[in-house]
Amino acid sequence: MEWQPISKAPTSWKVQPHLTNYEEARATFSWAAIQQELEPPPSIGLNIAHIAVDRHADGPRRNQVALRWLGKDGESQDFTYADLQAQSNRFANVLRHFGVGAGERVFVLAGRIPALYIAALGAWKNRSVFCPLFSAFGPEPILQRMLRGDAKVLITTQWQFARKIALQREQLPQLKTIFLTDVDEDVDSDVLSLPKWMAQVGETFTIPFTEPEDMAILHFTSGTTGMPKGAIHVHNAIYTHYMTARYALDLHPEDVYWCTADPGWVTGTSYGLIAPLAHGVTNIVD
């Protein structure tokens, strides 16, 4: 059986696609042009969180919804670019208060909750390294990754902590601080309430100068061929995130975009967090 192709005239498109002619786009493509579009302030250097959030929050997209979170029980929560700027600044201040510096690893073991996204952005602002863990992992895969990644800080929930972390705390001597996202008071001197500490710091933060090759993300392989292996992504990767989201995902500023991948894996971070925010869209987290 033969099927007739469906064709649509470009004049009927409400939004002109970024990639209308592959050969022309390929012939004229320039990394320098992409870099010029995202040119950061000299005082900041190239920082993923600045490109993804602050440049929108400091401009006309300040009140645009950046992140729309849809919970399991029907609840929802909207964060504008201004909200994300303020909340990620708070988390960066929390890290600084506890002596977490550039290059030190901030692990997150949680489902797709707002705190995960805020922690990633705040870690990048502090020049720390964001290390997402897949929330369905059991205790052993988590221990392997945290040991190999030199975890200094962990953000997690009560449920995840009790079942996957508490019984192996002694095997993680380098883990100095654990923040729980869903308790109002500190549990002990090392297991702290993230909401409590977020409320005690300010909403302003000056991003220190960030080099393009500074570490930003530490992902781990699935471990199906032996011990999980770490893969480092640097701040310079933002150019590829931005470019591929333009041409492969065809993101436009007024889009509402949903990526179903978990941030525990590379797609969920690159295209469920960085790329959509870099383009100033509304990012759905379900």
Side-chain angles (χ1 to χ4, degrees):
M1 181 178 295
E2 294 186 3
W3 298 92
Q4 293 298 319
I6 298 173
S7 61
K8 296 183 178 181
T11 55
S12 69
W13 298 338
K14 293 182 179 179
V15 177
Q16 188 74 7
H18 290 299
L19 187 61
T20 56
N21 185 311
Y22 173 77
E23 295 300 335
E24 180 182 351
R26 180 184 178 189
T28 60
F29 177 78
S30 164
W31 281 114
I34 295 292
Q35 292 169 350
Q36 188 174 10
E37 285 187 44
L38 301 181
E39 187 174 5
S43 61
I44 294 177
L46 185 64
N47 186 284
I48 288 176
H50 174 266
I51 296 293
V53 173
D54 286 7
R55 73 187 180 98
H56 300 305
D58 293 337
R61 305 196 70 75
R62 177 175 179 80
N63 296 319
Q64 163 82 18
V65 174
L67 192 72
R68 173 164 292 155
W69 177 73
L70 307 176
K72 292 181 179 180
D73 300 321
E75 70 270 42
S76 65
Q77 191 172 0
D78 282 356
F79 296 84
T80 65
Y81 280 95
D83 294 332
L84 279 189
Q85 181 182 47
Q87 292 302 310
S88 57
N89 282 348
R90 284 184 181 273
F91 186 72
N93 280 320
V94 169
L95 292 179
R96 182 170 289 182
H97 175 82
F98 282 91
V100 182
E104 294 188 304
R105 279 61 152 177
V106 177
F107 277 71
V108 180
L109 174 62
R112 292 189 292 272
I113 58 176
L116 184 153
Y117 298 83
I118 291 166
L121 295 164
W124 293 326
K125 287 185 173 183
N126 194 52
R127 294 181 59 228
S128 303
V129 181
F130 172 60
C131 308
L133 292 168
F134 185 40
S135 60
F137 276 151
E140 184 60 25
I142 291 169
L143 179 64
Q144 291 173 346
R145 287 160 175 79
M146 293 184 71
L147 283 172
R148 294 173 74 84
D150 297 325
K152 182 170 184 177
V153 177
L154 173 67
I155 291 86
T156 190
T157 63
Q158 292 183 80
W159 190 95
Q160 295 279 1
F161 174 74
R163 288 161 178 77
K164 302 176 183 180
I165 302 296
L167 296 179
Q168 47 191 10
R169 283 278 304 280
E170 294 181 358
Q171 299 180 64
L172 294 164
Q174 80 283 8
L175 181 61
K176 303 301 182 183
T177 309
I178 298 169
F179 290 102
L180 301 183
T181 65
D182 51 358
V183 298
D184 295 326
E185 296 295 334
D186 297 343
V187 176
D188 58 39
S189 59
D190 297 325
V191 182
L192 309 176
S193 163
L194 183 60
K196 171 186 172 181
W197 285 96
M198 289 279 282
Q200 293 184 13
V201 296
E203 291 186 349
T204 59
F205 183 85
T206 300
I207 299 175
F209 184 81
T210 308
E211 294 283 358
E213 294 299 312
D214 283 347
M215 289 177 61
I217 310 167
L218 177 59
H219 279 296
F220 282 92
T221 62
S222 59
T224 53
T225 57
M227 286 290 286
K229 301 158 187 71
I232 296 168
H233 296 234
V234 298
H235 284 269
N236 207 31
I238 185 69
Y239 293 130
T240 298
H241 295 139
Y242 182 79
M243 182 273 289
T244 51
R246 165 179 287 177
Y247 291 119
L249 300 179
D250 196 38
L251 293 184
H252 294 78
E254 302 308 320
D255 284 343
V256 176
Y257 166 80
W258 179 31
C259 173
T260 64
D262 191 276
W265 305 109
V266 63
T267 304
T269 301
S270 295
Y271 299 106
L273 172 54
I274 299 172
L277 296 184
H279 279 274
V281 307
T282 295
N283 192 28
I284 301 295
V285 174
D286 185 5

